Amino acid sequence: MGIHWFRRDLRLVGNPALEKHLKIREGRVLGVFCFDKKFLSRPDFSAPRFYFFLRTLEHLRKEMRDAGGDLLFLDTGPEESFRKLFAQMENEKWGRPVSISWNRDYEPYARTRDARMHEIFEREFELTTRTERDHLLIEPTELTKDEKGGTYQVYTPFSRKWLKLFQTPEIENRMDAVSRGLKSGVPEFHAKWPKTFTGEDILANYLEKTADQLTPKFIEHLPETGHEAAVALLKDFEKHHADAYDVARDIPSVPGTSKMSIYLKHGAISVPQIICLLKLTPDSKHLKYFKELIWREFYYHILYHHPRVETEAFLLKYESLEWENSRKNFKLWCEGKTGYPIVDAGMRQLNETGWMHNRVRMIVASFLTKDLLIDYRWGEKYFMEKLLDGDLAPNNGGWQWAASTGCDPQPYFRIFNPVSQSEKFDPRGEYIQKWVPELRGKFTHEPINPIVVHSVQRDKCLAMFKRARAN
Ligand SMILES: Cc1cc2nc3c(=O)[nH]c(=O)nc-3n(C[C@H](O)[C@H](O)[C@H](O)COP(=O)(O)OP(=O)(O)OC[C@H]3O[C@@H](n4cnc5c(N)ncnc54)[C@H](O)[C@@H]3O)c2cc1C
């Protein structure tokens, strides 16, 4: 008997560690998901994202049961939960499992947890552990600048090397396996938890408690969960939007992007699966889209090799930036009440739906850091609290890019003018009017009762950066 420990790989189709494990155990693999209170009490915890995650788990359990398998929920953190589970299995003469599998995670917290659990499983319980790559096509340890293991800090050479590796036989084989996994669909399971092992209430309780923190309207408009929903959305993107992506991806009023980030975050689909389904190659017409997926891999590599970016500016000289950090202005930014129509539209879209268009994410992040002179970490945390796709590596990367503190960032002296950004990317004000109802029929790109004056703040920002650079 084997156990697959689900974490953020919430799908059955083409799940690498699960697939291999099922083959070895001839279908006798049971699923476990373990809630972790330490994770749930993180300051960037998000009720909307957690709710979407719970619904995805609910979907996964149904799919597993339909395929002859089962998913058990545990609730006391992995260490205590697995100890109790194995003790119960032995007490009930069910016997200890012989192997446990999971897909690797690259966030600092998860890496520490997994190293500890690996030790416990192997040393204390003598289980064989099997781990696989899933979230990234090319893992951080596989792509280095040179033979000494140097790492890239600039996206363009990173993406060049990434695309070169993509065409090697090793990765081609990997992609063939992904293609086979997609074709073979949901695998068969030949094991169920006995009735005495129940975690039924755990999921239901979390769902109920989390739903209480959300509005019925928010819940009603949540995207569909699960792998099939992700694939259907991707197919729709391929049919209707992919050809125009290079231009439409910057226009927030049109549905020009794939919305895959929400599914990638929870592992309902993986980057290799998207590459396979869209037949992306370095010569394909969808190269721009392909390169966005490589940005995601880039930020994961940066976080893996420089875990300090979770709390510190990548460019350490900018740790001394003298942010103004006005609480009053931060609150107005969060509420979408800055007086700058495009900024307010973006923040209101985020608050109402848990999503914001990429171009607008760049505009509001630039506005918070370079117009309001507020520490990017405040905005990064607020995004994590609200975004359904909130994901440490790309969120930190996006914020540090906009604030000019990151690796390969926007140069510090490039400061978005919110009015010209609005004129360029929402010329007819369709996006603004959708999210700022008081401007319907009388929209403008110009600020109305703005909380700060862009030209004044721009000069202050340049001076703030120059002081930090001179230190
Ligand atoms: C300040 C800021 C914060 C961000 N926070 C997050 C976050 O928490 N989670 C997250 O997934 N993305 C984040 N991004 C990146 C980007 O905005 C989203 O990935 C994108 O908007 C998701 O929409 P989509 O799936 O329709 O993208 P598409 O345009 O369809 O792109 C396809 C996929 O490529 C990847 N991708 C696209 N753009 C980027 C990018 N700039 N950086 C890294 N990967 C990218 C995503 O995985 C995305 O799903 C952030 C960007 C900024 C500027």
Side-chain angles (χ1 to χ4, degrees):
M1 175 70 60
I3 285 185
H4 180 74
W5 179 18
F6 286 96
R7 295 103 58 83
R8 45 179 296 189
D9 54 331
L10 305 188
R11 68 177 193 288
L12 302 181
V13 176
N15 179 323
L18 175 66
E19 207 170 55
K20 288 203 180 146
H21 204 171
L22 279 168
K23 205 173 265 176
I24 293 164
R25 298 266 156 263
E26 296 174 334
R28 292 179 54 75
V29 175
L30 286 159
V32 165
F33 183 85
C34 195
F35 290 97
D36 187 344
K37 296 252 159 49
K38 274 196 208 130
F39 207 81
L40 299 182
S41 56
R42 276 168 64 132
D44 56 6
F45 170 77
S46 155
R49 190 168 58 255
F50 187 50
Y51 187 73
F52 187 78
F53 189 77
L54 294 169
R55 292 270 289 258
T56 308
L57 277 171
E58 199 180 27
H59 185 94
L60 180 74
R61 182 177 60 189
K62 182 178 179 311
E63 266 191 321
M64 267 189 107
R65 288 183 174 167
D66 290 349
D70 210 351
L71 178 59
L72 180 72
F73 293 100
L74 306 172
D75 196 23
T76 46
E79 207 170 317
E80 193 182 328
S81 292
F82 277 111
R83 282 211 172 93
K84 278 194 196 153
L85 176 70
F86 296 151
Q88 188 184 358
M89 287 174 88
E90 288 198 23
N91 282 346
E92 300 198 13
K93 312 271 179 281
W94 174 258
R96 204 183 279 167
V98 285
S99 47
I100 184 153
S101 58
W102 67 81
N103 290 301
R104 294 190 279 272
D105 195 328
Y106 310 95
E107 291 189 2
Y109 172 81
R111 283 169 67 192
T112 310
R113 173 199 63 199
D114 291 352
R116 169 104 188 108
M117 291 311 296
H118 187 275
E119 173 116 357
I120 292 176
F121 290 139
E122 294 227 326
R123 293 254 171 97
E124 205 175 309
F125 294 101
E126 294 171 351
L127 303 190
T128 308
T129 53
R130 306 178 178 282
T131 75
E132 291 293 329
R133 142 194 347 93
D134 180 40
H135 259 285
L136 302 176
L137 177 60
I138 301 179
E139 290 191 304
T141 47
E142 295 178 308
L143 193 164
T144 51
K145 205 162 158 184
D146 46 47
E147 272 149 25
K148 285 188 221 129
T151 57
Y152 286 102
Q153 301 186 0
V154 178
Y155 170 76
T156 305
F158 172 90
S159 67
R160 254 189 247 123
K161 180 80 175 268
W162 194 101
L163 285 168
K164 208 166 148 194
L165 286 177
F166 181 73
Q167 296 167 87
T168 56
E170 157 72 17
I171 309 275
E172 278 172 9
N173 287 342
R174 229 173 257 181
M175 289 307 297
D176 287 345
V178 173
S179 167
R180 283 196 300 277
L182 280 166
K183 280 192 195 120
S184 47
V186 174
E188 277 182 22
F189 293 83
H190 301 295
K192 282 204 183 277
W193 289 104
K195 291 240 166 353
T196 41
F197 291 74
T198 65
E200 208 84 16
D201 294 351
I202 297 175
L203 182 65
N205 286 344
Y206 274 122
L207 271 163
E208 200 184 312
K209 266 196 255 161
T210 317
D212 283 349
Q213 299 174 49
L214 306 168
T215 62
K217 191 172 160 212
F218 184 89
I219 293 177
E220 194 192 321
H221 288 104
L222 267 184
E224 257 188 76
T225 53
H227 177 73
E228 279 154 55
V231 172
L233 201 60
L234 188 69
K235 294 251 159 89
D236 182 74
F237 169 73
E238 184 183 24
K239 196 164 166 202
H240 301 291
H241 310 295
D243 286 346
Y245 178 77
D246 296 11
V247 178
R249 65 184 286 273
D250 263 327
I251 312 295
S253 60
V254 302
T257 67
S258 67
K259 297 257 177 106
M260 282 297 109
S261 54
I262 299 173
Y263 297 96
L264 285 168
K265 161 73 191 176
H266 302 102
I269 198 163
S270 69
V271 164
Q273 288 185 327
I274 296 179
I275 295 173
C276 199
L277 288 163
L278 293 183
K279 301 179 193 66
L280 299 176
T281 67
D283 326 303
S284 75
K285 57 183 172 175
H286 304 315
L287 187 59
K288 181 78 200 150
Y289 183 83
F290 198 179
K291 287 195 164 173
E292 292 305 324
L293 294 173
I294 305 174
W295 266 108
R296 180 179 181 276
E297 300 237 333
F298 176 64
Y299 284 139
Y300 267 92
H301 283 230
I302 294 293
L303 179 65
Y304 183 90
H305 290 297
H306 308 275
R308 65 172 184 83
V309 296
E310 191 178 357
T311 52
E312 272 178 0
F314 181 86
L315 299 174
L316 280 169
K317 63 175 175 269
Y318 292 140
E319 273 299 304
S320 65
L321 281 169
E322 294 156 356
W323 303 105
E324 284 187 359
N325 288 345
S326 153
R327 291 203 175 277
K328 184 170 152 239
N329 284 347
F330 180 63
K331 186 165 180 284
L332 292 168
W333 175 85
C334 292
E335 290 169 351
K337 293 182 183 160
T338 66
Y340 284 83
I342 191 78
V343 175
D344 294 347
M347 295 309 293
R348 294 189 201 184
Q349 180 184 27
L350 176 66
N351 292 334
E352 278 182 42
T353 66
W355 199 77
M356 193 197 297
H357 189 277
N358 179 61
R359 169 57 52 183
V360 193
R361 291 186 201 200
M362 285 153 61
I363 298 171
V364 303
S366 176
F367 189 81
L368 183 81
T369 53
K370 294 182 174 171
D371 282 75
L372 298 183
L373 310 179
I374 290 177
D375 193 327
Y376 72 89
R377 281 164 279 227
W378 294 26
E380 182 189 356
K381 179 169 173 283
Y382 189 73
F383 265 34
M384 283 305 277
E385 284 165 20
K386 295 285 168 187
L387 279 172
L388 289 174
D389 67 11
D391 193 357
L392 175 57
N395 192 44
N396 181 270
W399 272 97
Q400 294 224 38
W401 178 89
S404 301
T405 61
C407 56
D408 203 6
Q410 165 106 304
Y412 78 92
F413 48 81
R414 236 195 115 206
I415 299 177
F416 279 172
N417 179 329
V419 175
S420 42
Q421 287 285 313
S422 180
E423 285 166 350
K424 191 164 172 197
F425 298 110
D426 191 29
R428 288 197 292 273
E430 286 148 322
Y431 178 76
I432 290 174
Q433 292 180 80
K434 173 155 191 203
W435 296 107
V436 188
E438 62 269 32
L439 290 181
R440 282 183 198 151
K442 47 179 176 174
F443 107 91
T444 165
H445 297 289
E446 296 297 327
I448 303 158
N449 299 327
I451 57 172
V452 289
V453 175
H454 174 69
S455 56
V456 174
Q457 296 306 105
R458 189 178 181 283
D459 291 346
K460 280 201 209 168
C461 175
L462 289 171
M464 177 178 86
F465 269 91
K466 281 184 185 146
R467 279 196 304 278
R469 292 168 70 82
N471 278 341

